[in-house]
């Protein structure tokens, strides 16, 4: 009888230990392979690679020199805003997430997959479902962005009317002050100048320089707050353009910059294929979160300094 009780006691103890281990695996936070604590994504609408003059963009040049970069990130077609930002958010081409036009407010084509929230999974949802205590923020100055992300997965979203760049910056700083897990600051320029005056005009080039200055201000804020050391900063655009438009199958419309620097990023040009739907998988990987099976993009792993175990 005593032997039987001992066996039962041991079996109960092992079962309890197993349950605790399983529960711990389910609730423990994922670990960044490079030790990053924050990914700050800065988006600039219509910032075409074809018009990049590094000498006029000292802050982006500094990001380039200290990080991984390419001016050949390829858009999906048509080379327009909503569908290309959605592809960056969701890790797939437009044929899969369903947004197909410049100003799509909902999928024009039924998404190939819907999660339990009735959406194709974006980076906010993937991070929220995998990181305990996740907080995500976004500030943006084009109304169309508000139809692209999973609102239930974002804790602080602010739409700035009137294309006020300074207000986007100030609001973004306020959001960063709350120490979010992930932040996206989106500027609707230089796209508006491109449409009004033209891509490559002096006014357009000056607006690129203005956006660059705000990238520097954001970086300086992170440094002042002691946050820069553990942060990965990412800068992307959605398309380029020519004359006063975009959307065509031509490289000055279809190539946009991707620049990434910070914690654990190895400097160097990304020479392998990089497309806009590689952005979300790159962000997920930095956080140590597995990409959903439905995603098609991939992170440029050789451009990270991964500690050897």
């Amino acid at each position: 009888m005593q032997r039987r009780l001992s066996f039962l006691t041991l079996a109960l103890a092992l079962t309890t230990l197993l349950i605790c281990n399983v529960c711990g695996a389910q609730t423990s936070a994922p670990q960044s392979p490079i030790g990053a604590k924050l990914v700050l994504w800065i988006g600039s609408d219509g910032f075409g690679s074809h018009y990049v003059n590094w000498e006029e963009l000292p802050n982006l040049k500094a990001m380039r020199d200290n990080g991984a970069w390419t001016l050949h990130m390829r858009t999906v077609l048509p080379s327009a805003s909503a569908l290309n930002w959605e592809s960056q958010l969701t890790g797939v081409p437009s044929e899969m997430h369903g947004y197909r036009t410049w100003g799509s407010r909902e999928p024009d084509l039924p998404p190939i997959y819907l999660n339990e929230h009735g959406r194709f999974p974006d980076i906010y949802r993937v991070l929220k479902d995998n990181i305990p205590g996740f907080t995500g923020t976004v500030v943006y100055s084009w109304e169309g962005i508000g139809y692209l992300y999973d609102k239930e997965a974002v804790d602080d979203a602010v739409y700035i009317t009137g294309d006020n760049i300074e207000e986007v910056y100030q609001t973004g700083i306020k959001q960063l002050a709350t120490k979010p897990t992930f932040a996206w600051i989106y500027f609707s320029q230089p796209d508006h100048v491109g449409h009004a005056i033209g891509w490559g005009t002096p006014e357009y080039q000056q607006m690129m320089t203005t956006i660059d200055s705000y990238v520097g201000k954001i970086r300086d804020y992170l440094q002042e707050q002691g946050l820069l050391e553990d942060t990965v900063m990412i800068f992307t655009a959605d398309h380029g353009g020519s004359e006063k438009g975009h959307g065509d199958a031509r490289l000055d419309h279809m190539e946009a910059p991707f620049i990434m620097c910070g914690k654990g990023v190895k400097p160097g040009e990304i020479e392998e294929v990089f497309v806009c739907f590689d952005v979300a998988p790159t962000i997920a990987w930095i956080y140590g979160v597995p990409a959903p099976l439905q995603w098609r993009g991939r992170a440029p792993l050789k451009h990270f300094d991964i500690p050897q175990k």
Side-chain angles (χ1 to χ4, degrees):
M1 182 68 176
Q2 186 175 1
R3 232 180 242 189
R4 190 187 208 176
L5 287 174
S6 298
F7 175 78
L8 290 173
T9 303
L10 178 61
L12 180 61
L14 289 173
T15 301
T16 302
L17 179 62
L18 178 61
I19 291 173
C20 288
N21 286 338
V22 170
C23 291
Q26 289 175 338
T27 58
S28 61
Q31 298 296 312
S32 169
I34 53 175
K37 295 180 180 178
L38 169 69
V39 175
L40 169 59
W41 177 17
I42 301 174
S44 179
D45 207 294
F47 198 107
S49 291
H50 186 74
Y51 305 99
V52 168
N53 180 342
W54 292 115
E55 299 311 311
E56 296 176 352
L57 308 170
N59 296 292
L60 290 173
K61 184 175 184 289
M63 285 184 65
R64 181 203 71 177
D65 292 344
N66 292 284
W69 64 279
T70 178
L71 293 181
H72 304 294
M73 181 176 77
R74 186 72 64 92
T75 74
V76 296
L77 283 170
S79 45
S81 294
L83 67 159
N84 273 287
W85 288 119
E86 182 70 358
S87 284
Q88 293 184 51
L89 283 162
T90 60
V92 295
S94 56
E95 292 84 357
M96 295 181 67
H97 60 61
Y99 288 77
R100 297 286 291 159
T101 65
W102 160 79
S104 298
R105 296 189 171 194
E106 59 185 20
D108 306 283
L109 177 73
I112 198 167
Y113 168 81
L114 294 175
N115 61 16
E116 64 271 27
H117 303 280
R119 300 182 58 92
F120 194 94
D122 69 5
I123 184 61
Y124 283 101
R125 173 52 59 189
V126 170
L127 295 181
K128 191 172 188 66
D129 286 351
N130 285 277
I131 301 177
F134 170 82
T135 55
T137 68
V138 59
V139 54
Y140 56 97
S141 52
W142 175 49
E143 183 186 11
I145 294 295
Y147 302 99
L148 303 179
Y149 59 85
D150 185 341
K151 290 181 173 58
E152 294 180 2
V154 177
D155 300 275
D156 185 11
V158 181
Y159 166 48
I160 304 298
T161 61
D163 197 28
N164 189 322
I165 297 177
E166 175 68 18
E167 191 174 354
V168 170
Y169 161 70
Q170 293 291 348
T171 304
I173 292 303
K174 290 177 182 177
Q175 290 181 333
L176 290 172
T178 67
K179 306 275 183 75
T181 312
F182 169 59
W184 183 23
I185 298 176
Y186 162 94
F187 296 100
S188 55
Q189 292 284 14
D191 183 76
H192 290 179
V193 171
H195 284 295
I197 301 173
W199 265 259
T201 61
E203 294 85 353
Y204 175 88
Q205 299 294 150
Q206 180 57 49
M207 185 54 72
M208 294 179 85
T209 301
T210 298
I211 294 298
D212 176 84
S213 71
Y214 278 95
V215 171
K217 289 181 179 181
I218 294 168
R219 180 201 58 216
D220 291 346
Y221 171 81
L222 292 173
Q223 191 164 36
E224 290 165 6
Q225 298 301 311
L227 302 173
L228 190 61
E229 183 177 350
D230 295 320
T231 296
V232 174
M233 289 181 64
I234 293 176
F235 178 89
T236 73
D238 54 340
H239 58 75
S242 62
E243 298 181 349
K244 293 184 179 181
H246 58 83
D248 296 334
R250 43 186 288 181
L251 289 183
D252 54 354
H253 291 208
M254 293 185 64
E255 289 190 328
F258 173 88
I259 310 172
M260 172 178 64
C261 71
K263 181 73 172 181
V265 179
K266 292 195 293 189
E269 184 174 1
I270 300 173
E271 296 180 345
E272 62 267 32
V273 170
F274 196 89
V275 293
C276 65
F277 49 89
D278 290 330
V279 173
T282 299
I283 295 170
W285 185 89
I286 292 170
Y287 282 104
V289 170
L293 293 175
Q294 296 80 19
W295 284 8
R296 290 296 175 267
R298 60 186 180 183
L301 297 184
K302 77 178 200 177
H303 294 278
F304 292 103
D305 188 10
I306 306 171
Q308 298 297 317
K309 293 183 180 180

